[in-house]
Structure formats: C-alpha cells, structure tokens
Amino acid sequence: MNITLKALLIASTLSPSLAMASDEHKPITHTVGVFTGVTINDGESDSSYGLEYEYKLNQDWGVGLVYEKTPDAHHEDGITVTLASVYAHPTANWRIGFGVGQEKIGGHHSYTKDLIRTSVAYDFHLASFGIAPSLAFDVVDGDTATVVGLAFTKSF
C-alpha cells in the first residue's frame, strides 16, 4: 500500500472525531487553489506550479490533496509531487500542514520516491477569495527541498 493511501486512511479515521468537535453552526468549507512558485534544491531553483484542495472539517482542522509540477527540475526530467495533507488552523489566517505522498522523477527511466512535506501559509482573504504566501519543506531520502510561492484560492 503506498504512502498516500495510508495517509488518506489515517485522515478518514480521524475525520469523524474532528468533525464532531466542530461548531454545528459553521458550514464545512471547500477551498481550491492554484499555486505558483519555485522549488529550491541543491542550490538550484526551478519554477513550480500546481493545484491544491482542502476540505475543512471544522474551523481548526482540514484535510487536503496537492498536485505540483516542477518541469525543469532533476536535470530537465521534471518532478511531479502528489500528496495528502492534514492542516491545522490555529487562527483564521494561518494554515500549518503535514503531508505524505510521492515524488515522481520523469525522464526515460522514471521512478517514484516517498515524500514528507511540512508547510505553513498565511491566507489573506477578500470575501471568498484568498492569496496565501506559502513555504514548504519536502523531505525525500533525507534530502530537503524548499518550496516557496503564492496560492490563489477560492472557498465555497
């Protein structure tokens, strides 16, 4: 069983207890986002872009998925990151994440490796839209890559 599936199973086990702790008067929200930024690894920085989704269980907790591409990384072979995350919201604007997933290295002999991501973002809200400067650290085989950028979000 791959690590992403394990993370989703853990999140689904936690979600009923976290959802019961929520305020019944607050709606459960969905947030979708488009990310653009750079990934810095081994002294090189490459453009990254991707999609994000978060399902807020209550005002303090959420679970989500991330799909991110860094097409020029790894000697132009490209890297694709997919992961599942759990998010803590200590305030309405801060989002702290922990995720697990996989990094796929492209090229003629593509392969995947397990990945662990820790992240932090600060959401500036304007009605149901947001802009979130984001910082993440991806650990793969003991090496750490830094991902920094902006997410443009829509909540509903």
Side-chain angles (χ1 to χ4, degrees):
M1 183 181 329
N2 73 36
I3 198 162
T4 304
L5 184 55
K6 289 177 188 175
L8 288 172
L9 289 172
I10 291 168
S12 67
T13 303
L14 292 174
S15 64
S17 61
L18 293 173
M20 287 189 302
S22 70
D23 182 354
E24 293 179 15
H25 300 292
K26 293 200 179 273
I28 295 175
T29 60
H30 304 268
T31 302
V32 294
V34 176
F35 173 82
T36 184
V38 295
T39 298
I40 304 161
N41 192 16
D42 292 333
E44 294 183 22
S45 61
D46 296 296
S47 297
S48 297
Y49 59 90
L51 300 172
E52 305 176 350
Y53 170 76
E54 181 183 1
Y55 176 79
K56 282 191 85 175
L57 301 167
N58 58 40
Q59 68 183 19
D60 299 323
W61 294 97
V63 293
L65 301 170
V66 174
Y67 176 82
E68 200 170 272
K69 290 193 70 77
T70 307
D72 295 329
H74 202 266
H75 312 290
E76 309 297 319
D77 286 339
I79 294 175
T80 302
V81 170
T82 54
L83 60 103
S85 293
V86 174
Y87 297 105
H89 295 271
T91 69
N93 297 86
W94 285 102
R95 179 179 61 208
I96 300 167
F98 177 77
V100 293
Q102 292 191 328
E103 173 184 84
K104 180 180 179 184
I105 310 296
H108 185 64
H109 298 287
S110 66
Y111 57 95
T112 60
K113 293 185 175 191
D114 291 339
L115 169 139
I116 296 173
R117 174 176 282 189
T118 55
S119 63
V120 63
Y122 188 86
D123 295 309
F124 293 95
H125 299 284
L126 179 60
S128 64
F129 293 95
I131 297 175
S134 305
L135 174 65
F137 299 100
D138 292 349
V139 178
V140 178
D141 287 344
D143 293 325
T144 302
T146 304
V147 183
V148 62
L150 290 174
F152 300 92
T153 63
K154 167 74 172 138
S155 297
F156 54 97

